[in-house]
Amino acid sequence: MMWLTWRQFRMQGAVALGALAAFGVFLLVTGRNMRAGFAEIRAACGSGCGDSLNSYVQEQQTLAGLVGAVLIAAPALLGMVWGAPLVAREVESGTHRLIWNQSISRTRWLLVRLLIVGAAAVLVTGVLSLMVTWWARPIDAIAQDRFTPLVFEARGVVPLGYAAFAFAVGACTGLLVRRTMPAVVVTMAVVLGVQLLVPLAVRPHLMTPTTATVPVTGPEDWSKSGITGVGLRHRGSGSDTRLEVTVSMAGDWVVSGPGTAVNASGKVARGAEICAHQGFPPRADCIEAMKIRVDVAYQPKDRYWTFQLLEAGIYVLLAGLLTWGGTAWLRRRPA
């Protein structure tokens, strides 16, 4: 059974290895050039390199986005190309009748194919993830945005769980619809839907966020608050003027949206309390003297790998449930 599976998928495996090698060469060349660029900047400016490094990171964002997109798309493509035809092609060609009339059981036939080809899909994705994580390490160290959805899904162990899930979706879809092209289309729709749903509806609820009340200083003195960025916006007018605050924190994932500034007693600060009489933006000394602050909910950066493992575990669990359901259904369906 293992030999037959290898014979049937050796061409797809060879193509995948070739594509993986070509992409690895591309990442090696561009990654070394990028590291040389960072080293040149640091050598030229010494310890005060923040602005120059950030500018260089911005220049690399287009390439970084394309590299991340390849890794995000790879598991879905493997689920469509390897998973969907796994059973559907056998049913379409009628060879399943010959195979199922041999001494090997249907369940064993399916499990062997799922394990061998599925493990290959996870392995390919894992190697891609290692290469992309190495390639993007200098950018991630400066940008401090690993929780950003498109970045989070293209690093660490999440792509491995995603590959297992996408492959299981493809295989089980092919088992149910028994036609390759419809199975490919359904697989693409399901995987894309889950990929959009998880960052929006699942990931924010995996762990209870940490809450903090941070002072809102003036634009000239934001660094004193311990946050890396503050966006201020006026709402209302006159004595009802309120200050809407957006906070960003390096490496942390701020899950709360823009918050309304409050005064020392915890009530919404209005009018003179936010120095509205001074115009916008307010002066740092005035707004700091008023002790204006805002409530922030965030996931600390030290939870990054916990989130990675939790999300990868969810995908693996879903893949296991799909595999169990597929084998149970196969045992009961007629030839």
Side-chain angles (χ1 to χ4, degrees), residues 50-296:
D51 292 339
S52 298
L53 290 173
N54 287 330
S55 297
Y56 190 70
V57 167
Q58 291 299 318
E59 294 174 7
Q60 303 297 317
Q61 285 304 315
T62 299
L63 182 59
L66 292 174
V67 168
V70 170
L71 180 52
I72 292 173
L77 288 174
L78 292 174
M80 294 161 56
V81 177
W82 288 5
L86 190 72
V87 178
R89 184 182 295 141
E90 300 284 358
V91 175
E92 283 182 317
S93 62
T95 54
H96 68 294
R97 294 187 178 90
L98 175 63
I99 297 173
W100 293 352
N101 285 322
Q102 305 300 314
S103 59
I104 187 171
S105 67
R106 297 181 185 184
T107 302
R108 183 182 174 190
W109 171 79
L110 180 62
L111 286 177
V112 169
R113 293 169 71 82
L114 286 173
L115 290 175
I116 293 178
V117 185
V122 173
L123 179 61
V124 168
T125 306
V127 174
L128 269 176
S129 179
L130 284 174
M131 294 191 301
V132 171
T133 300
W134 170 85
W135 183 89
R137 188 171 296 144
I139 295 177
D140 292 342
I142 295 171
Q144 295 287 300
D145 61 350
R146 292 191 301 172
F147 273 112
T148 301
L150 293 179
V151 176
F152 186 87
E153 293 155 14
R155 307 285 191 274
V157 298
V158 164
L160 280 73
Y162 181 40
F165 169 73
F167 178 80
V169 168
C172 290
T173 302
L175 182 64
L176 292 174
V177 303
R178 307 176 69 180
R179 293 292 184 270
T180 300
M181 287 311 300
V184 169
V185 173
V186 172
T187 300
M188 180 177 65
V190 171
V191 172
L192 179 61
V194 171
Q195 191 175 14
L196 293 174
L197 178 67
V198 168
L200 297 176
V202 177
R203 190 180 303 156
H205 305 289
L206 291 178
M207 296 185 70
T208 303
T210 298
T211 57
T213 301
V214 298
V216 180
T217 56
E220 301 87 355
D221 199 27
W222 285 336
S223 60
K224 288 184 179 180
S225 66
I227 54 184
T228 58
V230 174
L232 304 178
R233 179 179 296 180
H234 271 179
R235 294 294 188 187
S237 60
S239 61
D240 192 46
T241 302
R242 302 174 302 281
L243 194 62
E244 186 178 83
V245 185
T246 302
V247 177
S248 59
M249 309 169 78
D252 298 327
W253 177 19
V254 178
V255 296
S256 57
T260 303
V262 298
N263 56 29
S265 62
K267 298 181 179 180
V268 174
R270 303 174 185 272
E273 290 182 300
I274 59 171
C275 308
H277 59 285
Q278 293 186 350
F280 187 80
R283 279 207 337 261
D285 56 349
C286 177
I287 199 170
E288 188 170 6
M290 295 296 180
K291 300 187 183 302
I292 303 300
R293 55 197 68 243
V294 66
D295 295 326
V296 179

